[in-house]
C-alpha cells in the first residue's frame, strides 16, 4: 500500500488525511495537537511521534500548516523532514504561505533531490471534506504529473492546475483570494444600495447573476441573510471562511503586490476592511459579514 505522511491535521488537513485513507493510502500522521491527531488515528491513520518520523519511509509527504514559518520549521534544518527523506520523494505543501518562503523551500528541496511542489487549495473545509478542493501547483512539470495522481483523491481532476514554476501556486492563491475579497465587498455594497432603494435583495441577486455583475459571491455565497440557503449569512455569519483567514491571505497578496511593484489599490482597500473587522472582534466570523455593517436596520 502506498504511504503518505500527513503533517498538520487541522480543519483542512484532518479531512484531507481522511480522504487519502478512503482512497487506499496508508497515512502516517503528525500534529502538535493531540486532539487533531487522535481524530485522524480513529479514522485509520498511524500516529508518528514527530514530523520527521512521519516522513520516514513515506512515498509522499503532505503538509497543511498555518503559515510559512511553520512549514519552514517542519521541513528544514537538521531535524527537519527534508533531511530524512530519500532523493526522489514527492513533498506537497498545501498550506497557504508567502511565495518567497515557498521558493526557498523549492531551493532547499533541490539540494536533497526532493520533488517539492507548492499546492495551495481553494474551497474551504466543506470541499476538503467532500474531496472537491481546487489545487494550484507550483514547481516542475515532472513533479506536477506525480502530484496530480495524489491530488485526485482530494479534489476534482479538472480543478488541479499547474500554475507555473516554483511558488506559482502561492502567487495564484494570493491573487485569487484578493479578488474574492474585492468582489465580496462589491457585492455587499451593491446589495446595500439596492435594499436602501426598495429592491428585494433576492430579486436583485437574480438580476445581477443574469447580468454583468455576476460573480462567485452571488452564485454560491450570497451575503444577504436568508437569500441563499446554506450560506453563512443565514446562520449569523458563522464560518465558512473566517475573517482572520481572509485577512491573512490579503496580507500575503499585498506583500506580493509590493514586492512586484504592482499598485493593488483595491486590494489595499479590501485589506483595510478586513483588518477593521478583526479589530472589531469579528475575526472568527465568516468573511461575508462585511454585509452586516451596510444593512440599514429596517431592511434585514
Ligand atoms: P488549522 O489551524 O485548523 O490547522 C493547522 C494545524 O497545524 C493545527 O492542527 C496545528 O496544531 C498544526 N500545526 C501547527 N504547527 C505545527 C507543527 N510545527 N507541526 C505539526 N503540526 C502543526 O488551519 P486550517 O484551517 O486547517 O488551515 C491550514 C492551511 O490551509 C492554512 O495555511 C490556511 O490558510 C489554508 N486554508 C484554509 C482554508 C479554510 O477554510 N480553513 C481554506 C483554504 C486554505
Amino acid at each position: 500500500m502506498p504511504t503518505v505522511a500527513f503533517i498538520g491535521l487541522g480543519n483542512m488537513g484532518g479531512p484531507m488525511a481522511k480522504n487519502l485513507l478512503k482512497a487506499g493510502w496508508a497515512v502516517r500522521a503528525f500534529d502538535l495537537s493531540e486532539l487533531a491527531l487522535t481524530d485522524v488515528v480513529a479514522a485509520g491513520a498511524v500516529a508518528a511521534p514527530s514530523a520527521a518520523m512521519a516522513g520516514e519511509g513515506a512515498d509522499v509527504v503532505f503538509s497543511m500548516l498555518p503559515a510559512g514559518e511553520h512549514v519552514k520549521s517542519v521541513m528544514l534544518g537538521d531535524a527537519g523532514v527534508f533531511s530524512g527523506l530519500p532523493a526522489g520523494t514527492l513533498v506537497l505543501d498545501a498550506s497557504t504561505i508567502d511565495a518567497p518562503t515557498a521558493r526557498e523551500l523549492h531551493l532547499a528541496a533541490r539540494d536533497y533531490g526532493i520533488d517539492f511542489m507548492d499546492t495551495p487549495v481553494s474551497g474551504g473545509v466543506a470541499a476538503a471534506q467532500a474531496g472537491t478542493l481546487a489545487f494550484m501547483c507550483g514547481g516542475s512539470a515532472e513533479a506536477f504529473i506525480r502530484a496530480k495522481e495524489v491530488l485526485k483523491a482530494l479534489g476534482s481532476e479538472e480543478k488541479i492546475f499547474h500554475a507555473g514554476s516554483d511558488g506559482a501556486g502561492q502567487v495564484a492563491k494570493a491573487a485569487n483570494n484578493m479578488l474574492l475579497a474585492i468582489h465580496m465587498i462589491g457585492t455587499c455594497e451593491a446589495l446595500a444600495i439596492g435594499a436602501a432603494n426598495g429592491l428585494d435583495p433576492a430579486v436583485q441577486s437574480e438580476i445581477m447573476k443574469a447580468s454583468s455583475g455576476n460573480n462567485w459571491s452571488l452564485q454560491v455565497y450570497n451575503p444577504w441573510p436568508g437569500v441563499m440557503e446554506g450560506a453563512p449569512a443565514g446562520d449569523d455569519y458563522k464560518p465558512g471562511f473566517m475573517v482572520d483567514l481572509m485577512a491573512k491571505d490579503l496580507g500575503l497578496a499585498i506583500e506580493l503586490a509590493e514586492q512586484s511593484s504592482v499598485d493593488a489599490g483595491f486590494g489595499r482597500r479590501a485589506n483595510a476592511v478586513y483588518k477593521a473587522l478583526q479589530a472589531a472582534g469579528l475575526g472568527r466570523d465568516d468573511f461575508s459579514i462585511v454585509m452586516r455593517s451596510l444593512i440599514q436596520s429596517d431592511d434585514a
Side-chain angles (χ1 to χ4, degrees):
M1 198 186 286
T3 301
V4 61
F6 209 110
I7 302 153
L9 306 158
N11 292 323
M12 296 293 287
M16 289 165 76
K18 287 180 194 170
N19 281 336
L20 286 166
L21 284 164
K22 280 187 209 149
W25 289 78
V27 176
R28 292 166 59 84
F30 178 71
D31 195 295
L32 293 177
S33 153
E34 199 58 42
L35 195 67
L37 193 56
T38 310
D39 183 51
V40 174
V41 167
V46 172
S50 69
M53 286 169 90
E56 279 172 17
D59 303 284
V60 180
V61 177
F62 247 107
S63 51
M64 195 53 171
L65 295 163
E69 73 218 59
H70 306 95
V71 185
K72 261 173 83 168
S73 82
V74 161
M75 298 296 177
L76 305 182
D78 289 344
V81 173
F82 281 2
S83 67
L85 296 177
T89 308
L90 181 65
V91 179
L92 305 174
D93 176 39
S95 330
T96 302
I97 68 171
D98 58 295
T101 297
R103 293 185 193 115
E104 200 181 325
L105 287 156
H106 276 276
L107 280 180
R110 229 159 257 141
D111 286 343
Y112 289 102
I114 289 166
D115 262 354
F116 179 75
M117 289 215 103
D118 49 297
T119 63
V121 307
S122 182
V125 176
Q129 287 165 345
T132 57
L133 289 166
F135 285 90
M136 26 211 124
C137 308
S140 73
E142 296 75 26
F144 179 66
I145 291 167
R146 293 181 68 191
K148 202 169 175 183
E149 284 310 304
V150 190
L151 298 177
K152 278 192 306 199
L154 304 173
S156 325
E157 199 167 347
E158 68 279 6
K159 291 200 283 182
I160 303 172
F161 296 97
H162 188 201
S165 60
D166 301 0
Q170 298 297 350
V171 175
K173 168 75 184 174
N176 177 73
N177 278 26
M178 185 184 83
L179 178 58
L180 168 62
I182 292 169
H183 72 61
M184 175 56 81
I185 296 168
T187 299
C188 292
E189 291 181 355
L191 288 171
I193 291 170
N197 287 278
L199 268 67
D200 175 344
V203 174
Q204 189 192 357
S205 296
E206 288 310 307
I207 293 170
M208 293 196 295
K209 276 199 295 188
S211 306
S212 43
N214 188 17
N215 67 69
W216 184 92
S217 297
L218 278 172
Q219 285 165 3
V220 296
Y221 220 89
N222 196 298
W224 193 281
V227 167
M228 183 172 284
E229 205 178 320
D235 191 18
D236 203 24
Y237 296 100
K238 288 202 184 73
F241 185 53
M242 283 192 296
V243 164
D244 280 345
L245 285 176
M246 180 50 95
K248 172 199 163 188
D249 292 354
L250 280 167
L252 294 175
I254 300 310
E255 210 174 273
L256 205 53
E258 282 167 3
Q259 284 158 4
S260 38
S261 303
V262 172
D263 182 13
F266 283 95
R268 284 196 303 275
R269 289 286 301 276
N271 195 26
V273 167
Y274 281 99
K275 280 191 164 153
L277 289 171
Q278 281 183 307
L282 300 172
R284 300 194 67 78
D285 286 293
D286 188 77
F287 84 114
S288 60
I289 201 164
V290 171
M291 188 77 254
R292 192 184 268 165
S293 62
L294 295 168
I295 297 178
Q296 295 182 358
S297 53
D298 51 351
D299 286 334

